[in-house]
Amino acid sequence: MFTLYSFILLSLVYITHSENGFLPPYISPCELSTDKFVDCVKKQIVNSLPKFTKGVPEMGVPSIDPVHLDNIEIDGNGLKLSFSEAAMHGLSKCRLTDLKVDIGKSEETFSLAFKGNLSLVAKYVVDGRILILPIQGKGDALVDAQGVEVKIDSKLVHVKDTSGEHFKLATPKYKYTIEKTTFDLKNLFNGNKQLAETTLQFANENWQQLMDELAPPAIKQIVRTVVKAINKFFSKVPIKQIVIGYKESQ
Ligand SMILES: *[C@@H]1O[C@H](CO)[C@@H](O)[C@H](O)[C@H]1NC(C)=O
């Protein structure tokens, strides 16, 4: 008897989930017909950002804090620098700084900007020079980037499956600004403290030079990861479940 009940109960739960899709309790749908629509979407994002970035296992949305990055290698201007086993922390503490949603028209768009402090923990190998100063070493690296603002502009397209129509961010473009970066590279010059201190101080005074090389591949991966997480979410929720009053195309 018990197993039969469990079976029926499980089936019901399964059907409910597969027909309506699972929506985390911190996200409620927004009504398209009112002029408060964008404010409502904004509220959902602000509310869910700290939790969503930690992942939604029920929807297969992975945690993006930390973001595990592919190896970053820069080789130019006389400097070879690589980071491996890199993890970027801080997305869950970023705040939303801009949001534009344009839906219900023939071309739909979704833009958002977020800002916060991001820190990169990795293994580094460096050899060459920063401007005039030689730098060489390998070990643990901590890169603290403060006031990082990333703005993503994307088209919204629709994907259909058996549960209905879904949004998908397509051809996202992005730009970023960074206020300040601090590098802490352990074990520079094989642990020669005096050389290491001078060089690190110089690197930090000229952080912009280093970040001009370093930030593009890192930000590119961050944007890709964020877009992937959002699209995973969209793929699990039909549009009509998050946007009340949305007319699906036939
Ligand atoms: C970012 O870091 C700076 C310097 O450590 C700090 O003053 C600021 O409050 C931090 N911002 C956030 C959003 O945590």
Side-chain angles (χ1 to χ4, degrees):
M1 219 32 198
F2 176 74
T3 39
L4 183 61
Y5 270 127
S6 312
F7 178 73
I8 293 172
L9 199 65
L10 277 177
S11 309
L12 280 177
V13 169
Y14 178 70
I15 289 165
T16 318
H17 270 203
S18 58
E19 279 192 346
N20 290 321
F22 169 88
L23 205 55
Y26 46 82
I27 299 180
S28 359
C30 291
E31 201 167 328
L32 185 58
S33 57
T34 75
D35 49 9
K36 298 241 163 51
F37 177 70
V38 176
D39 285 340
C40 174
V41 175
K42 194 177 276 179
K43 198 174 133 197
Q44 303 313 313
I45 296 179
V46 169
N47 284 346
S48 60
L49 207 68
K51 297 184 191 103
F52 185 80
T53 43
K54 290 293 184 183
V56 191
E58 296 90 337
M59 306 177 83
V61 177
S63 167
I64 53 171
D65 192 1
V67 178
H68 295 280
L69 302 181
D70 297 337
N71 293 355
I72 297 171
E73 284 171 31
I74 62 179
D75 185 358
N77 299 323
L79 179 72
K80 270 189 179 184
L81 172 61
S82 70
F83 288 106
S84 57
E85 297 171 47
M88 175 73 79
H89 298 260
L91 276 177
S92 62
K93 296 205 177 71
C94 282
R95 61 192 172 81
L96 188 72
T97 51
D98 196 19
L99 176 77
K100 289 197 182 69
V101 189
D102 208 353
I103 70 171
K105 314 228 172 71
S106 61
E107 180 156 296
E108 301 185 323
T109 56
F110 185 90
S111 307
L112 85 168
F114 53 89
K115 184 171 182 178
N117 294 337
L118 298 176
S119 62
L120 180 84
V121 181
K123 304 277 181 211
Y124 80 94
V125 181
V126 67
D127 196 10
R129 47 187 67 229
I130 304 172
L131 301 176
I132 48 155
L133 214 65
I135 184 167
Q136 186 265 320
K138 62 189 270 193
D140 293 325
L142 176 64
V143 182
D144 270 319
Q146 289 153 25
V148 182
E149 182 164 33
V150 180
K151 187 170 195 300
I152 304 177
D153 283 304
S154 186
K155 283 187 181 141
L156 264 183
V157 297
H158 294 187
V159 180
K160 263 190 185 170
D161 68 12
T162 48
S163 66
E165 236 174 274
H166 300 264
F167 284 132
K168 184 178 182 189
L169 301 182
T171 56
K173 294 190 175 60
Y174 62 91
K175 49 190 179 191
Y176 66 90
T177 50
I178 299 171
E179 281 166 8
K180 170 111 182 75
T181 306
T182 312
F183 297 91
D184 188 5
L185 305 175
K186 308 279 188 205
N187 197 44
L188 276 176
F189 301 105
N190 251 324
N192 181 328
K193 278 223 165 60
Q194 209 158 13
L195 272 179
E197 254 170 46
T198 313
T199 304
L200 210 49
Q201 193 186 340
F202 187 76
N204 281 318
E205 281 161 8
N206 295 281
W207 66 270
Q208 188 79 60
Q209 245 91 17
L210 275 172
M211 285 308 266
D212 282 349
E213 308 270 346
L214 208 53
I219 301 277
K220 185 178 181 176
Q221 290 189 52
I222 291 169
V223 170
R224 197 200 301 151
T225 309
V226 169
V227 168
K228 216 169 138 183
I230 295 174
N231 278 340
K232 188 75 183 181
F233 169 79
F234 281 151
S235 78
K236 300 285 176 170
V237 192
I239 298 174
K240 59 179 193 284
Q241 199 187 341
I242 40 176
V243 182
I244 298 167
Y246 191 88
K247 298 244 183 322
E248 288 198 354
S249 58
Q250 294 309 306

